[in-house]
Amino acid sequence: MSDLPHCPQCASEYTYEDGAMFVCPECGHEWSKDGSGEENEEKVIKDSNGNVLETGDTVSVIKDLKVKGSSLVVKVGTKVKNIRLVDGDHDIDCKIDGIGAMKLKSQFVKKV
């Protein structure tokens, strides 16, 4: 058949090429063709000053942020405790006192 590699997660032989990536249709795992960072590829999320953020950190908001769909505003200097890092455009999941659950972009916070 073809000389495509087996999936590194589930060892499936039914992998296929998709651009610069290999994809496993059975488990959904994707990895690069060149093999660099195959298993150790973790996204590093940094704050506005370049400090690496981790789940459980406390951060401070660096500019006023309007809350979409309401008249509330998260003010500069608001401290957010116990953040959780998630995938996506808004990469911080948190709970802000007086507002509730929110998602923030890491570019608008700094580590305390």
Side-chain angles (χ1 to χ4, degrees):
M1 201 162 155
S2 67
D3 56 348
L4 295 175
H6 293 266
C7 176
Q9 276 194 338
C10 69
S12 172
E13 62 185 41
Y14 302 111
T15 59
Y16 62 91
E17 292 180 71
D18 185 21
M21 305 286 283
F22 288 119
V23 181
C24 175
E26 291 185 10
C27 70
H29 180 65
E30 297 180 359
W31 68 100
S32 63
K33 286 184 182 179
D34 61 5
S36 63
E38 213 172 86
E39 295 294 323
N40 298 329
E41 189 175 324
E42 292 217 13
K43 185 176 178 185
V44 175
I45 298 174
K46 296 182 179 182
D47 69 357
S48 61
N49 295 332
N51 299 319
V52 177
L53 295 174
E54 296 177 2
T55 297
D57 282 346
T58 299
V59 295
S60 176
V61 178
I62 63 166
K63 72 177 255 183
D64 285 348
L65 301 173
K66 295 178 184 176
V67 179
K68 198 172 194 177
S70 77
S71 61
L72 298 174
V73 175
V74 179
K75 296 285 187 183
V76 171
T78 302
K79 288 192 178 177
V80 182
K81 298 177 183 176
N82 200 18
I83 64 170
R84 189 171 49 134
L85 302 179
V86 294
D87 290 334
D89 188 30
H90 292 74
D91 42 16
I92 297 175
D93 202 9
C94 62
K95 207 181 259 190
I96 298 177
D97 293 337
I99 295 176
M102 282 193 74
K103 290 187 177 257
L104 299 173
K105 290 186 176 184
S106 59
Q107 66 192 22
F108 298 123
V109 299
K110 67 179 181 178
K111 194 170 182 177
V112 177

